[in-house]
Amino acid sequence: MSRLNHDELIASVVAAVGASADASGAADLVFDKGSIVVAASADDLKGAFKRVKKIDGYRWVAINRADLFGANPLSLGSKAGIIDAHGEILKNADIPRRKV
């Protein structure tokens, strides 16, 4: 599959998992399993994982599958999962911690 740009990746994830735009603006998309931040290029990965750490609940970063090796190390400690354009889980999201 060819590399998708930001808008194409959003459209693909929406079609795959039934997500919708996040009204709060904290994430790009929301669906029944949490919030999704989209990182369409390797340059967007660091910012996406920084952004997703601030979101409560289950969190995901949607990437192009080719960026998995760059995304996986950044996901450590973020509790965020990683999904591809087809909605396939590449890394499970961890259970969110309760805020005390």
Side-chain angles (χ1 to χ4, degrees):
M1 182 176 180
S2 64
R3 176 173 289 283
L4 301 176
N5 67 30
H6 191 266
D7 294 335
E8 293 169 337
L9 188 55
I10 287 176
S12 181
V13 171
V14 166
V17 301
S20 60
D22 184 8
S24 72
D28 295 317
L29 304 168
V30 292
F31 72 128
D32 61 339
K33 294 183 183 174
S35 300
I36 303 171
V37 174
V38 176
S41 70
D43 295 337
D44 298 337
L45 292 173
K46 192 171 186 176
F49 281 102
K50 187 175 182 180
R51 183 175 167 200
V52 83
K53 284 183 182 182
K54 298 175 185 174
I55 298 172
D56 292 331
Y58 284 98
R59 358 172 214 222
W60 304 87
V61 175
I63 64 168
N64 285 298
R65 190 176 275 265
D67 295 330
L68 178 59
F69 291 109
N72 198 35
L74 294 171
S75 71
L76 298 174
S78 70
K79 299 242 178 232
I82 301 171
I83 61 174
D84 70 1
H86 302 292
E88 293 181 30
I89 296 173
L90 305 176
K91 178 184 181 276
N92 280 320
D94 292 335
I95 297 172
R97 293 184 197 139
R98 282 193 215 183
K99 292 192 177 189
V100 180

Coordinates of all heavy atoms in Angstrom, one line a residue:
M1 N 0.8 -1.2 0.0 CA 0.0 0.0 0.0 C 0.9 1.2 0.0 O 1.9 1.3 0.7 CB -0.9 0.0 1.2 CG -1.8 1.1 1.3 SD -2.9 0.9 2.7 CE -3.8 2.4 2.5
S2 N 0.5 2.2 -0.7 CA 1.3 3.5 -0.8 C 1.1 4.3 0.5 O 0.1 4.1 1.2 CB 0.9 4.3 -2.0 OG -0.5 4.7 -1.9
R3 N 2.0 5.2 0.7 CA 1.9 6.1 1.9 C 0.8 7.1 1.7 O 0.6 7.7 0.7 CB 3.2 6.8 2.0 CG 3.2 7.9 3.1 CD 4.6 8.5 3.3 NE 5.5 7.5 3.9 CZ 5.6 7.2 5.2 NH1 4.7 7.7 6.0 NH2 6.5 6.3 5.6
L4 N 0.0 7.2 2.8 CA -1.2 8.1 2.8 C -0.8 9.4 3.4 O 0.0 9.4 4.4 CB -2.3 7.5 3.5 CG -2.9 6.1 3.0 CD1 -4.0 5.6 3.9 CD2 -3.4 6.3 1.6
N5 N -1.3 10.5 2.9 CA -1.1 11.8 3.6 C -2.0 11.9 4.7 O -2.9 11.0 5.0 CB -1.2 13.0 2.6 CG -2.6 13.2 2.0 OD1 -3.6 12.9 2.7 ND2 -2.6 13.7 0.8
H6 N -2.0 13.0 5.4 CA -2.8 13.2 6.7 C -4.3 13.0 6.4 O -5.0 12.3 7.1 CB -2.5 14.6 7.3 CG -3.1 14.8 8.6 ND1 -4.3 15.4 8.8 CD2 -2.6 14.4 9.8 CE1 -4.5 15.4 10.1 NE2 -3.5 14.8 10.8
D7 N -4.8 13.7 5.4 CA -6.3 13.7 5.1 C -6.7 12.3 4.6 O -7.7 11.8 5.0 CB -6.6 14.7 4.1 CG -6.5 16.1 4.6 OD1 -6.5 16.3 5.8 OD2 -6.3 17.0 3.8
E8 N -5.8 11.6 3.8 CA -6.2 10.3 3.4 C -6.1 9.3 4.5 O -6.9 8.4 4.6 CB -5.2 9.9 2.3 CG -5.3 10.6 1.0 CD -4.1 10.4 0.0 OE1 -3.0 10.0 0.5 OE2 -4.3 10.6 -1.2
L9 N -5.2 9.4 5.4 CA -5.1 8.5 6.6 C -6.3 8.7 7.5 O -6.9 7.7 7.9 CB -3.8 8.8 7.3 CG -3.4 7.8 8.5 CD1 -3.4 6.4 8.0 CD2 -2.1 8.2 9.1
I10 N -6.7 9.9 7.7 CA -7.9 10.2 8.5 C -9.1 9.5 7.8 O -9.9 8.8 8.5 CB -8.2 11.7 8.7 CG1 -7.2 12.2 9.7 CG2 -9.6 11.9 9.2 CD1 -7.3 13.7 9.9
A11 N -9.3 9.7 6.5 CA -10.4 9.1 5.8 C -10.4 7.6 5.9 O -11.5 6.9 6.1 CB -10.4 9.6 4.4
S12 N -9.2 7.0 5.8 CA -9.1 5.5 5.8 C -9.4 5.0 7.2 O -10.1 4.0 7.3 CB -7.7 5.2 5.4 OG -7.6 3.8 5.4
V13 N -9.0 5.7 8.2 CA -9.2 5.2 9.6 C -10.7 5.4 9.9 O -11.3 4.5 10.6 CB -8.4 6.0 10.6 CG1 -8.8 5.7 12.1 CG2 -6.9 5.6 10.5
V14 N -11.3 6.5 9.5 CA -12.8 6.7 9.7 C -13.6 5.6 9.1 O -14.5 5.0 9.7 CB -13.2 8.1 9.2 CG1 -14.7 8.2 9.1 CG2 -12.7 9.2 10.0
A15 N -13.2 5.2 7.9 CA -13.9 4.1 7.2 C -13.7 2.8 7.8 O -14.6 2.0 7.9 CB -13.5 4.1 5.7
A16 N -12.5 2.6 8.4 CA -12.2 1.3 8.9 C -12.8 1.0 10.3 O -13.2 -0.1 10.6 CB -10.7 1.1 9.0
V17 N -12.8 2.0 11.2 CA -13.2 1.8 12.6 C -14.5 2.6 12.9 O -14.9 2.5 14.1 CB -12.1 2.2 13.6 CG1 -10.9 1.3 13.3 CG2 -11.7 3.6 13.6
G18 N -15.0 3.4 12.0 CA -16.2 4.1 12.3 C -16.0 5.3 13.2 O -16.9 5.6 14.0
A19 N -14.8 5.9 13.1 CA -14.5 7.0 14.0 C -15.2 8.3 13.5 O -15.6 8.4 12.4 CB -13.0 7.2 14.0
S20 N -15.2 9.3 14.4 CA -15.7 10.6 14.0 C -14.7 11.7 14.5 O -13.9 11.4 15.4 CB -17.1 10.8 14.5 OG -17.1 10.7 15.9
A21 N -14.9 12.9 14.1 CA -14.0 14.0 14.5 C -14.2 14.2 16.0 O -15.3 14.1 16.5 CB -14.3 15.2 13.7
D22 N -13.1 14.6 16.7 CA -13.2 14.8 18.1 C -13.6 16.3 18.3 O -12.9 17.2 17.9 CB -11.8 14.6 18.7 CG -11.8 14.8 20.3 OD1 -12.9 14.9 20.8 OD2 -10.7 14.7 20.9
A23 N -14.8 16.4 18.9 CA -15.4 17.8 19.1 C -14.5 18.6 20.1 O -14.5 19.8 20.0 CB -16.8 17.7 19.7
S24 N -13.8 17.9 21.0 CA -13.0 18.6 22.0 C -11.7 19.2 21.5 O -11.1 20.1 22.0 CB -12.7 17.7 23.2 OG -11.8 16.8 22.9
G25 N -11.2 18.6 20.4 CA -10.0 19.0 19.8 C -8.8 18.4 20.4 O -7.6 18.6 19.9
A26 N -8.9 17.6 21.4 CA -7.8 16.9 22.1 C -7.1 15.9 21.2 O -5.9 15.8 21.1 CB -8.2 16.3 23.4
A27 N -7.9 15.2 20.4 CA -7.5 14.2 19.4 C -8.0 14.6 18.1 O -8.8 15.5 17.9 CB -7.9 12.8 19.9
D28 N -7.6 13.8 17.1 CA -8.1 14.0 15.7 C -9.5 13.3 15.6 O -10.4 13.9 15.0 CB -7.2 13.5 14.7 CG -5.9 14.3 14.6 OD1 -5.9 15.6 14.7 OD2 -4.8 13.7 14.6
L29 N -9.6 12.1 16.1 CA -10.8 11.3 16.0 C -11.1 10.6 17.3 O -10.2 10.4 18.1 CB -10.5 10.2 14.9 CG -10.1 10.7 13.5 CD1 -9.6 9.5 12.7 CD2 -11.2 11.3 12.8
V30 N -12.3 10.2 17.4 CA -12.8 9.4 18.6 C -13.6 8.2 18.0 O -14.3 8.4 17.0 CB -13.6 10.2 19.6 CG1 -12.7 11.2 20.3 CG2 -14.8 10.8 19.0
F31 N -13.5 7.1 18.7 CA -14.3 5.9 18.3 C -14.6 5.2 19.6 O -14.2 5.6 20.7 CB -13.7 5.1 17.2 CG -12.5 4.3 17.6 CD1 -12.5 2.9 17.3 CD2 -11.4 4.8 18.2 CE1 -11.4 2.2 17.6 CE2 -10.3 4.1 18.5 CZ -10.3 2.7 18.2
D32 N -15.3 4.1 19.5 CA -15.8 3.3 20.7 C -14.6 2.8 21.6 O -14.9 2.5 22.7 CB -16.7 2.2 20.3 CG -16.1 1.2 19.4 OD1 -15.1 1.4 18.8 OD2 -16.7 0.0 19.4
K33 N -13.4 2.7 21.0 CA -12.3 2.2 21.8 C -11.3 3.3 22.3 O -10.2 3.0 22.7 CB -11.5 1.2 21.0 CG -12.4 -0.1 20.8 CD -11.6 -1.1 20.0 CE -12.4 -2.3 19.7 NZ -11.8 -3.3 18.9
G34 N -11.7 4.6 22.1 CA -10.9 5.7 22.6 C -10.6 6.8 21.6 O -11.4 6.9 20.6
S35 N -9.6 7.5 21.8 CA -9.2 8.7 21.0 C -8.1 8.3 20.1 O -7.2 7.6 20.4 CB -8.8 9.8 21.9 OG -9.9 10.2 22.8
I36 N -8.1 8.9 18.9 CA -7.0 8.7 17.9 C -6.4 10.0 17.5 O -7.0 10.9 17.1 CB -7.6 8.0 16.6 CG1 -8.3 6.7 17.0 CG2 -6.5 7.8 15.6 CD1 -9.1 6.1 15.8
V37 N -5.0 10.0 17.5 CA -4.2 11.1 17.0 C -3.6 10.5 15.7 O -3.0 9.4 15.7 CB -3.2 11.6 18.0 CG1 -2.3 12.6 17.3 CG2 -3.9 12.2 19.2
V38 N -3.6 11.3 14.6 CA -3.1 10.8 13.3 C -1.7 11.4 13.1 O -1.5 12.6 13.2 CB -4.1 11.2 12.2 CG1 -3.5 10.8 10.8 CG2 -5.4 10.6 12.4
A39 N -0.8 10.5 12.7 CA 0.6 10.9 12.4 C 0.9 10.3 11.0 O 1.2 9.1 10.9 CB 1.6 10.4 13.4
A40 N 0.8 11.1 10.0 CA 0.9 10.5 8.6 C 2.3 10.4 8.1 O 2.6 9.7 7.2 CB 0.1 11.4 7.6
S41 N 3.3 11.1 8.8 CA 4.7 10.9 8.4 C 5.6 10.7 9.6 O 5.2 10.9 10.7 CB 5.1 12.2 7.7 OG 5.3 13.3 8.6
A42 N 6.8 10.3 9.3 CA 7.7 10.0 10.4 C 8.0 11.3 11.2 O 8.3 11.2 12.4 CB 9.0 9.4 9.8
D43 N 8.0 12.4 10.5 CA 8.2 13.7 11.2 C 7.1 14.0 12.2 O 7.3 14.8 13.1 CB 8.4 14.8 10.2 CG 9.6 14.6 9.3 OD1 10.5 13.9 9.7 OD2 9.6 15.2 8.2
D44 N 5.9 13.5 12.0 CA 4.8 13.8 12.9 C 4.7 12.9 14.1 O 3.9 13.2 15.0 CB 3.5 13.6 12.1 CG 3.3 14.5 11.0 OD1 4.0 15.6 10.9 OD2 2.6 14.2 10.0
L45 N 5.5 11.8 14.2 CA 5.4 10.8 15.2 C 5.6 11.4 16.6 O 4.9 11.2 17.6 CB 6.3 9.6 15.0 CG 6.0 8.8 13.8 CD1 7.0 7.7 13.5 CD2 4.6 8.1 14.0
K46 N 6.7 12.1 16.8 CA 7.1 12.6 18.1 C 6.0 13.5 18.7 O 5.6 13.4 19.8 CB 8.4 13.3 18.1 CG 9.0 13.6 19.4 CD 10.5 14.1 19.3 CE 11.1 14.3 20.6 NZ 12.5 14.7 20.6
G47 N 5.5 14.4 17.9 CA 4.5 15.3 18.3 C 3.2 14.6 18.6 O 2.4 15.0 19.5
A48 N 2.9 13.6 17.8 CA 1.6 12.8 18.0 C 1.7 12.1 19.4 O 0.7 12.1 20.1 CB 1.4 11.8 16.9
F49 N 2.8 11.5 19.7 CA 2.9 10.8 21.0 C 2.9 11.8 22.2 O 2.4 11.5 23.2 CB 4.1 9.8 21.0 CG 3.8 8.5 20.3 CD1 4.3 8.3 19.0 CD2 3.0 7.6 20.9 CE1 4.0 7.1 18.4 CE2 2.7 6.4 20.2 CZ 3.1 6.2 19.0
K50 N 3.5 12.9 22.0 CA 3.5 14.0 23.0 C 2.0 14.4 23.2 O 1.6 14.6 24.4 CB 4.4 15.1 22.6 CG 4.5 16.2 23.6 CD 5.5 17.2 23.2 CE 5.8 18.3 24.2 NZ 6.7 19.3 23.8
R51 N 1.3 14.6 22.1 CA -0.1 15.1 22.2 C -1.0 14.0 22.8 O -1.9 14.3 23.6 CB -0.6 15.4 20.8 CG -1.9 15.9 20.7 CD -2.2 16.3 19.2 NE -3.7 16.5 19.1 CZ -4.3 16.5 17.9 NH1 -3.6 16.3 16.8 NH2 -5.5 16.7 17.8
V52 N -0.8 12.7 22.5 CA -1.7 11.7 23.0 C -1.5 11.4 24.5 O -2.4 11.0 25.1 CB -1.4 10.4 22.1 CG1 -0.3 9.6 22.6 CG2 -2.7 9.5 22.1
K53 N -0.3 11.8 25.0 CA -0.1 11.6 26.5 C -1.1 12.4 27.3 O -1.3 12.1 28.5 CB 1.3 11.9 26.9 CG 2.3 10.8 26.5 CD 3.7 11.1 26.9 CE 4.7 10.1 26.5 NZ 6.1 10.4 27.0
K54 N -1.5 13.5 26.8 CA -2.4 14.4 27.5 C -3.9 14.0 27.5 O -4.7 14.7 28.1 CB -2.2 15.8 26.9 CG -0.8 16.4 27.1 CD -0.7 17.7 26.4 CE 0.8 18.1 26.5 NZ 1.0 19.4 25.7
I55 N -4.2 13.0 26.7 CA -5.6 12.6 26.6 C -5.9 11.5 27.6 O -5.2 10.6 27.9 CB -5.8 12.0 25.1 CG1 -5.5 13.1 24.1 CG2 -7.2 11.5 25.0 CD1 -5.5 12.6 22.7
D56 N -7.1 11.6 28.2 CA -7.6 10.7 29.2 C -8.2 9.5 28.4 O -8.7 9.6 27.3 CB -8.7 11.3 30.1 CG -8.1 12.3 31.0 OD1 -6.9 12.2 31.4 OD2 -8.8 13.2 31.4
G57 N -8.2 8.3 29.1 CA -8.8 7.1 28.5 C -7.9 6.4 27.6 O -6.7 6.6 27.5
Y58 N -8.5 5.5 26.8 CA -7.7 4.7 25.8 C -7.3 5.7 24.7 O -8.1 6.5 24.2 CB -8.5 3.6 25.3 CG -8.6 2.4 26.2 CD1 -9.7 2.2 27.0 CD2 -7.5 1.5 26.4 CE1 -9.7 1.2 27.9 CE2 -7.6 0.5 27.2 CZ -8.7 0.3 28.0 OH -8.8 -0.7 28.9
R59 N -6.0 5.6 24.3 CA -5.5 6.5 23.2 C -4.8 5.6 22.2 O -4.1 4.7 22.5 CB -4.6 7.5 23.8 CG -4.5 7.4 25.3 CD -3.5 8.3 25.9 NE -3.0 7.5 27.0 CZ -2.8 8.0 28.2 NH1 -2.9 9.3 28.4 NH2 -2.4 7.3 29.2
W60 N -4.9 6.1 21.0 CA -4.3 5.4 19.8 C -3.6 6.5 18.9 O -4.0 7.6 18.9 CB -5.3 4.7 19.0 CG -6.1 3.8 19.8 CD1 -7.3 4.0 20.6 CD2 -5.9 2.4 20.0 NE1 -7.7 2.9 21.2 CE2 -6.9 1.9 20.8 CE3 -4.9 1.5 19.5 CZ2 -6.9 0.5 21.2 CZ3 -5.0 0.2 19.9 CH2 -6.0 -0.3 20.7
V61 N -2.5 6.0 18.3 CA -1.9 6.8 17.2 C -2.1 6.1 15.9 O -1.7 4.9 15.8 CB -0.4 7.1 17.5 CG1 0.2 7.8 16.4 CG2 -0.3 7.9 18.8
A62 N -2.6 6.7 14.9 CA -2.8 6.1 13.6 C -1.6 6.5 12.7 O -1.3 7.6 12.6 CB -4.1 6.5 13.0
I63 N -1.0 5.5 12.1 CA 0.2 5.7 11.3 C 0.1 4.9 10.0 O -0.7 4.0 9.9 CB 1.5 5.2 12.1 CG1 1.5 3.7 12.3 CG2 1.6 6.0 13.4 CD1 2.8 3.1 12.8
N64 N 1.0 5.3 9.1 CA 1.2 4.4 7.9 C 2.1 3.3 8.4 O 3.0 3.4 9.2 CB 2.0 5.2 6.9 CG 1.1 6.2 6.1 OD1 0.1 5.8 5.5 ND2 1.4 7.5 6.3
R65 N 1.7 2.1 8.0 CA 2.4 0.9 8.5 C 3.9 0.9 8.3 O 4.6 0.4 9.2 CB 1.8 -0.4 7.8 CG 2.2 -1.7 8.4 CD 1.6 -2.8 7.7 NE 0.3 -3.1 8.2 CZ 0.1 -4.1 9.2 NH1 1.1 -4.7 9.7 NH2 -1.1 -4.3 9.6
A66 N 4.4 1.6 7.3 CA 5.8 1.7 7.1 C 6.5 2.4 8.2 O 7.8 2.3 8.4 CB 6.1 2.4 5.8
D67 N 5.8 3.2 9.0 CA 6.4 4.0 10.1 C 6.4 3.3 11.5 O 6.8 3.8 12.5 CB 5.7 5.3 10.3 CG 5.8 6.2 9.1 OD1 6.9 6.1 8.4 OD2 4.9 7.0 8.8
L68 N 6.1 2.0 11.5 CA 6.0 1.2 12.7 C 7.3 1.2 13.5 O 7.3 1.4 14.7 CB 5.5 -0.2 12.5 CG 5.4 -1.1 13.7 CD1 4.4 -0.5 14.7 CD2 5.0 -2.5 13.3
F69 N 8.4 1.0 12.9 CA 9.7 0.9 13.6 C 10.1 2.3 14.2 O 10.8 2.3 15.2 CB 10.8 0.3 12.7 CG 10.5 -1.1 12.5 CD1 10.2 -1.5 11.2 CD2 10.6 -2.1 13.5 CE1 9.9 -2.9 10.9 CE2 10.4 -3.4 13.2 CZ 10.0 -3.8 11.9
G70 N 9.6 3.3 13.7 CA 9.9 4.6 14.2 C 8.9 5.0 15.3 O 9.2 5.7 16.3
A71 N 7.7 4.5 15.2 CA 6.6 4.8 16.2 C 6.7 3.9 17.5 O 6.5 4.4 18.6 CB 5.3 4.6 15.6
N72 N 7.1 2.7 17.3 CA 7.1 1.8 18.5 C 8.0 2.3 19.7 O 7.5 2.3 20.8 CB 7.5 0.4 18.1 CG 7.1 -0.6 19.1 OD1 6.1 -0.5 19.8 ND2 7.9 -1.7 19.3
P73 N 9.2 2.7 19.4 CA 10.0 3.2 20.6 C 9.4 4.5 21.2 O 9.5 4.7 22.4 CB 11.4 3.6 20.0 CG 11.4 2.8 18.7 CD 10.0 2.7 18.2
L74 N 8.7 5.3 20.4 CA 8.1 6.5 21.0 C 6.9 6.2 21.8 O 6.5 7.0 22.7 CB 7.7 7.5 19.8 CG 8.9 8.1 19.0 CD1 8.4 8.8 17.8 CD2 9.7 9.0 19.9
S75 N 6.3 5.0 21.6 CA 5.1 4.7 22.3 C 5.3 4.2 23.7 O 4.4 4.2 24.5 CB 4.3 3.6 21.5 OG 5.0 2.3 21.6
L76 N 6.6 3.8 24.0 CA 6.9 3.3 25.3 C 6.7 4.4 26.4 O 7.1 5.5 26.2 CB 8.4 2.8 25.4 CG 8.7 1.7 24.4 CD1 10.2 1.5 24.4 CD2 8.0 0.5 24.7
G77 N 5.9 4.0 27.4 CA 5.6 4.9 28.5 C 4.4 5.8 28.2 O 4.0 6.6 29.1
S78 N 3.9 5.8 27.0 CA 2.8 6.7 26.7 C 1.4 6.1 26.9 O 0.4 6.8 26.9 CB 2.8 7.1 25.2 OG 2.5 6.0 24.4
K79 N 1.4 4.8 27.1 CA 0.1 4.0 27.2 C -0.7 4.0 26.0 O -1.8 3.5 26.0 CB -0.7 4.5 28.4 CG 0.0 4.3 29.8 CD -0.8 3.4 30.6 CE -0.1 3.2 31.9 NZ 0.1 1.8 32.2
A80 N -0.2 4.5 24.9 CA -0.9 4.6 23.6 C -0.7 3.4 22.8 O 0.4 2.8 22.7 CB -0.5 5.8 22.8
G81 N -1.7 3.0 22.1 CA -1.6 1.9 21.1 C -1.4 2.5 19.7 O -1.4 3.7 19.5
I82 N -1.1 1.6 18.8 CA -0.8 2.0 17.4 C -1.7 1.3 16.5 O -1.8 0.0 16.6 CB 0.7 1.8 17.1 CG1 1.6 2.5 18.0 CG2 1.0 2.2 15.6 CD1 3.1 2.1 17.9
I83 N -2.4 2.0 15.6 CA -3.2 1.3 14.6 C -2.7 1.8 13.2 O -2.1 2.9 13.1 CB -4.7 1.6 14.7 CG1 -5.0 3.1 14.7 CG2 -5.2 1.0 16.0 CD1 -6.5 3.4 14.7
D84 N -3.1 1.0 12.2 CA -2.7 1.4 10.8 C -3.9 2.0 10.1 O -5.0 2.1 10.7 CB -2.0 0.3 10.0 CG -3.0 -0.8 9.7 OD1 -4.2 -0.8 10.0 OD2 -2.5 -1.8 9.1
A85 N -3.8 2.3 8.8 CA -4.8 2.9 8.0 C -6.1 2.0 7.9 O -7.2 2.5 7.7 CB -4.3 3.3 6.7
H86 N -5.9 0.7 8.1 CA -7.0 -0.2 8.0 C -7.7 -0.5 9.3 O -8.5 -1.4 9.4 CB -6.6 -1.5 7.3 CG -6.0 -1.3 6.0 ND1 -6.7 -1.0 4.9 CD2 -4.7 -1.5 5.6 CE1 -5.9 -0.9 3.9 NE2 -4.6 -1.1 4.2
G87 N -7.2 0.2 10.4 CA -7.8 0.0 11.7 C -7.2 -1.2 12.4 O -7.7 -1.6 13.5
E88 N -6.2 -1.9 11.8 CA -5.6 -3.0 12.4 C -4.7 -2.6 13.6 O -3.9 -1.6 13.4 CB -4.7 -3.8 11.4 CG -5.6 -4.5 10.3 CD -4.8 -5.2 9.3 OE1 -3.7 -5.8 9.7 OE2 -5.2 -5.3 8.2
I89 N -4.7 -3.3 14.7 CA -3.9 -2.9 15.9 C -2.5 -3.5 15.7 O -2.3 -4.7 15.5 CB -4.6 -3.5 17.1 CG1 -5.9 -2.9 17.4 CG2 -3.7 -3.3 18.3 CD1 -6.7 -3.5 18.5
L90 N -1.6 -2.5 15.7 CA -0.2 -2.9 15.6 C 0.5 -3.0 17.0 O 1.5 -3.7 17.1 CB 0.6 -1.9 14.7 CG 0.0 -1.6 13.3 CD1 0.8 -0.5 12.6 CD2 0.0 -2.9 12.5
K91 N -0.1 -2.3 17.9 CA 0.4 -2.4 19.3 C -0.9 -2.0 20.2 O -1.5 -1.0 19.9 CB 1.5 -1.4 19.6 CG 1.9 -1.4 21.0 CD 3.0 -0.3 21.3 CE 3.4 -0.3 22.7 NZ 2.6 0.5 23.6
N92 N -1.2 -2.8 21.1 CA -2.3 -2.6 22.0 C -2.1 -1.4 22.9 O -1.0 -1.1 23.4 CB -2.6 -3.8 22.9 CG -3.3 -4.9 22.1 OD1 -4.2 -4.6 21.4 ND2 -3.0 -6.1 22.4
A93 N -3.2 -0.7 23.2 CA -3.1 0.4 24.1 C -3.2 -0.2 25.5 O -3.8 -1.2 25.8 CB -4.3 1.3 23.9
D94 N -2.5 0.4 26.5 CA -2.5 0.0 27.9 C -3.7 0.6 28.6 O -4.2 1.6 28.2 CB -1.2 0.4 28.6 CG 0.0 -0.3 28.1 OD1 -0.1 -1.4 27.5 OD2 1.1 0.3 28.2
I95 N -4.1 -0.1 29.6 CA -5.2 0.4 30.5 C -4.8 1.7 31.0 O -3.7 1.8 31.6 CB -5.5 -0.6 31.6 CG1 -6.0 -1.9 30.9 CG2 -6.6 -0.1 32.5 CD1 -6.2 -3.1 31.9
P96 N -5.6 2.7 30.9 CA -5.3 4.1 31.4 C -5.3 4.1 32.9 O -6.0 3.3 33.6 CB -6.4 5.0 30.9 CG -7.4 4.1 30.2 CD -6.9 2.7 30.2
R97 N -4.4 4.8 33.5 CA -4.3 5.0 34.9 C -5.3 5.9 35.4 O -5.7 6.9 34.7 CB -2.9 5.5 35.3 CG -1.8 4.6 35.1 CD -0.5 5.2 35.6 NE 0.6 4.5 35.0 CZ 1.7 5.1 34.6 NH1 1.8 6.4 34.7 NH2 2.7 4.3 34.0
R98 N -5.8 5.7 36.6 CA -6.7 6.6 37.3 C -5.9 7.8 37.8 O -4.9 7.7 38.3 CB -7.4 6.0 38.4 CG -8.5 5.1 38.0 CD -9.4 4.8 39.3 NE -9.8 3.5 39.1 CZ -10.6 2.9 40.0 NH1 -11.0 3.6 41.1 NH2 -11.1 1.7 39.9
K99 N -6.5 9.0 37.6 CA -5.9 10.2 38.1 C -6.2 10.3 39.6 O -7.4 10.2 40.0 CB -6.3 11.4 37.4 CG -5.7 11.4 36.0 CD -5.9 12.7 35.3 CE -5.2 12.7 33.9 NZ -5.2 13.9 33.3
V100 N -5.3 10.5 40.4 CA -5.5 10.6 41.9 C -5.5 12.1 42.3 O -4.9 12.9 41.8 CB -4.4 9.9 42.6 CG1 -4.7 9.9 44.1 CG2 -4.4 8.4 42.1

